[in-house]
Tab-separated table of all heavy atoms in Angstrom:
chain	number	residue	atom	x	y	z
A	117	GLY	N	3.005	-10.660	-2.704
A	117	GLY	CA	3.042	-11.380	-3.967
A	117	GLY	C	2.910	-10.555	-5.225
A	117	GLY	O	2.630	-11.109	-6.284
A	118	GLY	N	3.093	-9.256	-5.140
A	118	GLY	CA	2.980	-8.423	-6.334
A	118	GLY	C	4.092	-8.709	-7.333
A	118	GLY	O	5.244	-8.904	-6.960
A	119	LEU	N	3.717	-8.763	-8.600
A	119	LEU	CA	4.705	-8.980	-9.652
A	119	LEU	C	5.533	-7.723	-9.864
A	119	LEU	O	5.021	-6.609	-9.779
A	119	LEU	CB	4.011	-9.330	-10.968
A	119	LEU	CG	3.167	-10.593	-11.003
A	119	LEU	CD1	2.478	-10.721	-12.364
A	119	LEU	CD2	4.017	-11.818	-10.714
A	120	VAL	N	6.804	-7.909	-10.141
A	120	VAL	CA	7.658	-6.796	-10.547
A	120	VAL	C	7.693	-6.822	-12.065
A	120	VAL	O	8.154	-7.788	-12.669
A	120	VAL	CB	9.076	-6.928	-9.953
A	120	VAL	CG1	9.966	-5.808	-10.447
A	120	VAL	CG2	9.008	-6.950	-8.429
A	121	LYS	N	7.164	-5.786	-12.664
A	121	LYS	CA	7.036	-5.739	-14.127
A	121	LYS	C	8.342	-5.299	-14.789
A	121	LYS	O	9.043	-4.449	-14.274
A	121	LYS	CB	5.942	-4.745	-14.534
A	121	LYS	CG	4.587	-5.016	-13.952
A	121	LYS	CD	3.842	-6.041	-14.743
A	121	LYS	CE	2.437	-6.183	-14.184
A	121	LYS	NZ	1.575	-6.929	-15.016
A	122	ASP	N	8.610	-5.882	-15.945
A	122	ASP	CA	9.656	-5.381	-16.834
A	122	ASP	C	8.955	-4.425	-17.794
A	122	ASP	O	8.295	-4.861	-18.738
A	122	ASP	CB	10.316	-6.534	-17.578
A	122	ASP	CG	11.360	-6.071	-18.588
A	122	ASP	OD1	11.516	-4.835	-18.784
A	122	ASP	OD2	12.024	-6.931	-19.185
A	123	TRP	N	9.044	-3.125	-17.517
A	123	TRP	CA	8.274	-2.143	-18.273
A	123	TRP	C	8.724	-2.030	-19.721
A	123	TRP	O	7.981	-1.529	-20.558
A	123	TRP	CB	8.309	-0.792	-17.568
A	123	TRP	CG	7.588	-0.876	-16.260
A	123	TRP	CD1	8.141	-0.951	-15.013
A	123	TRP	CD2	6.177	-0.969	-16.061
A	123	TRP	NE1	7.169	-1.083	-14.053
A	123	TRP	CE2	5.956	-1.093	-14.669
A	123	TRP	CE3	5.084	-0.968	-16.910
A	123	TRP	CZ2	4.683	-1.207	-14.124
A	123	TRP	CZ3	3.811	-1.074	-16.362
A	123	TRP	CH2	3.625	-1.191	-14.985
A	124	THR	N	9.904	-2.543	-20.049
A	124	THR	CA	10.337	-2.525	-21.451
A	124	THR	C	9.622	-3.613	-22.258
A	124	THR	O	9.535	-3.522	-23.476
A	124	THR	CB	11.858	-2.728	-21.573
A	124	THR	OG1	12.208	-4.011	-21.041
A	124	THR	CG2	12.618	-1.631	-20.829
A	125	GLU	N	9.103	-4.648	-21.598
A	125	GLU	CA	8.417	-5.755	-22.257
A	125	GLU	C	6.908	-5.758	-21.985
A	125	GLU	O	6.192	-6.619	-22.475
A	125	GLU	CB	9.001	-7.096	-21.786
A	125	GLU	CG	10.479	-7.264	-22.077
A	125	GLU	CD	10.762	-7.389	-23.569
A	125	GLU	OE1	9.945	-7.999	-24.290
A	125	GLU	OE2	11.796	-6.868	-24.001
A	126	HIS	N	6.422	-4.819	-21.185
A	126	HIS	CA	5.027	-4.826	-20.746
A	126	HIS	C	4.064	-4.600	-21.912
A	126	HIS	O	4.283	-3.739	-22.756
A	126	HIS	CB	4.812	-3.734	-19.689
A	126	HIS	CG	3.410	-3.630	-19.208
A	126	HIS	ND1	2.809	-4.620	-18.461
A	126	HIS	CD2	2.468	-2.665	-19.374
A	126	HIS	CE1	1.568	-4.265	-18.175
A	126	HIS	NE2	1.333	-3.084	-18.718
A	127	GLN	N	3.012	-5.390	-21.952
A	127	GLN	CA	1.951	-5.226	-22.935
A	127	GLN	C	0.765	-4.558	-22.248
A	127	GLN	O	0.267	-5.058	-21.234
A	127	GLN	CB	1.512	-6.589	-23.495
A	127	GLN	CG	2.602	-7.298	-24.278
A	127	GLN	CD	2.897	-6.581	-25.587
A	127	GLN	OE1	2.002	-6.137	-26.279
A	127	GLN	NE2	4.172	-6.471	-25.912
A	128	VAL	N	0.312	-3.447	-22.780
A	128	VAL	CA	-0.838	-2.747	-22.223
A	128	VAL	C	-2.082	-3.602	-22.416
A	128	VAL	O	-2.261	-4.225	-23.457
A	128	VAL	CB	-1.019	-1.371	-22.909
A	128	VAL	CG1	-2.272	-0.673	-22.418
A	128	VAL	CG2	0.213	-0.505	-22.657
A	129	PHE	N	-2.921	-3.662	-21.390
A	129	PHE	CA	-4.169	-4.402	-21.503
A	129	PHE	C	-5.258	-3.625	-20.783
A	129	PHE	O	-4.995	-2.774	-19.952
A	129	PHE	CB	-4.039	-5.820	-20.945
A	129	PHE	CG	-3.804	-5.878	-19.458
A	129	PHE	CD1	-4.867	-6.043	-18.584
A	129	PHE	CD2	-2.523	-5.777	-18.933
A	129	PHE	CE1	-4.653	-6.104	-17.218
A	129	PHE	CE2	-2.302	-5.833	-17.578
A	129	PHE	CZ	-3.374	-6.004	-16.709
A	130	GLU	N	-6.483	-3.929	-21.128
A	130	GLU	CA	-7.634	-3.285	-20.494
A	130	GLU	C	-8.438	-4.352	-19.781
A	130	GLU	O	-8.591	-5.471	-20.262
A	130	GLU	CB	-8.495	-2.601	-21.547
A	130	GLU	CG	-9.635	-1.804	-20.963
A	130	GLU	CD	-10.384	-1.007	-22.018
A	130	GLU	OE1	-9.777	-0.704	-23.075
A	130	GLU	OE2	-11.554	-0.711	-21.789
A	131	THR	N	-8.940	-4.004	-18.614
A	131	THR	CA	-9.743	-4.942	-17.845
A	131	THR	C	-11.007	-4.244	-17.366
A	131	THR	O	-11.021	-3.026	-17.215
A	131	THR	CB	-8.950	-5.504	-16.646
A	131	THR	OG1	-9.775	-6.418	-15.929
A	131	THR	CG2	-8.487	-4.398	-15.724
A	132	THR	N	-12.035	-5.005	-17.142
A	132	THR	CA	-13.281	-4.432	-16.632
A	132	THR	C	-13.372	-4.535	-15.115
A	132	THR	O	-14.334	-4.072	-14.521
A	132	THR	CB	-14.497	-5.140	-17.260
A	132	THR	OG1	-14.421	-6.538	-16.950
A	132	THR	CG2	-14.518	-4.930	-18.767
A	133	SER	N	-12.377	-5.140	-14.491
A	133	SER	CA	-12.367	-5.294	-13.039
A	133	SER	C	-10.949	-5.116	-12.522
A	133	SER	O	-10.007	-5.624	-13.135
A	133	SER	CB	-12.886	-6.681	-12.665
A	133	SER	OG	-12.752	-6.892	-11.280
A	134	PRO	N	-10.764	-4.444	-11.383
A	134	PRO	CA	-9.418	-4.293	-10.840
A	134	PRO	C	-8.906	-5.551	-10.149
A	134	PRO	O	-7.727	-5.666	-9.870
A	134	PRO	CB	-9.563	-3.147	-9.835
A	134	PRO	CG	-10.997	-3.185	-9.425
A	134	PRO	CD	-11.752	-3.686	-10.619
A	135	SER	N	-9.819	-6.514	-9.890
A	135	SER	CA	-9.427	-7.690	-9.121
A	135	SER	C	-9.952	-8.971	-9.757
A	135	SER	O	-11.047	-8.995	-10.309
A	135	SER	CB	-9.964	-7.593	-7.688
A	135	SER	OG	-9.476	-6.435	-7.058
A	136	HIS	N	-9.137	-10.046	-9.640
A	136	HIS	CA	-9.594	-11.377	-10.059
A	136	HIS	C	-10.715	-11.838	-9.142
A	136	HIS	O	-11.671	-12.475	-9.572
A	136	HIS	CB	-8.460	-12.401	-9.978
A	136	HIS	CG	-7.372	-12.203	-10.984
A	136	HIS	ND1	-7.566	-12.333	-12.333
A	136	HIS	CD2	-6.065	-11.888	-10.819
A	136	HIS	CE1	-6.421	-12.114	-12.970
A	136	HIS	NE2	-5.510	-11.838	-12.075
A	137	TRP	N	-10.551	-11.559	-7.862
A	137	TRP	CA	-11.530	-11.953	-6.830
A	137	TRP	C	-11.356	-11.015	-5.632
A	137	TRP	O	-10.321	-10.380	-5.458
A	137	TRP	CB	-11.368	-13.410	-6.420
A	137	TRP	CG	-9.978	-13.798	-6.002
A	137	TRP	CD1	-9.026	-14.366	-6.813
A	137	TRP	CD2	-9.375	-13.661	-4.712
A	137	TRP	NE1	-7.852	-14.582	-6.097
A	137	TRP	CE2	-8.054	-14.157	-4.801
A	137	TRP	CE3	-9.803	-13.171	-3.499
A	137	TRP	CZ2	-7.172	-14.175	-3.724
A	137	TRP	CZ3	-8.931	-13.176	-2.413
A	137	TRP	CH2	-7.638	-13.687	-2.537
Side-chain angles (χ1 to χ4, degrees):
L119 298 176
V120 177
K121 303 277 185 168
D122 176 355
W123 294 104
T124 62
E125 300 292 324
H126 178 68
Q127 295 291 318
V128 176
F129 66 95
E130 185 174 336
T131 180
T132 59
S133 174
S135 301
H136 291 295
W137 53 265

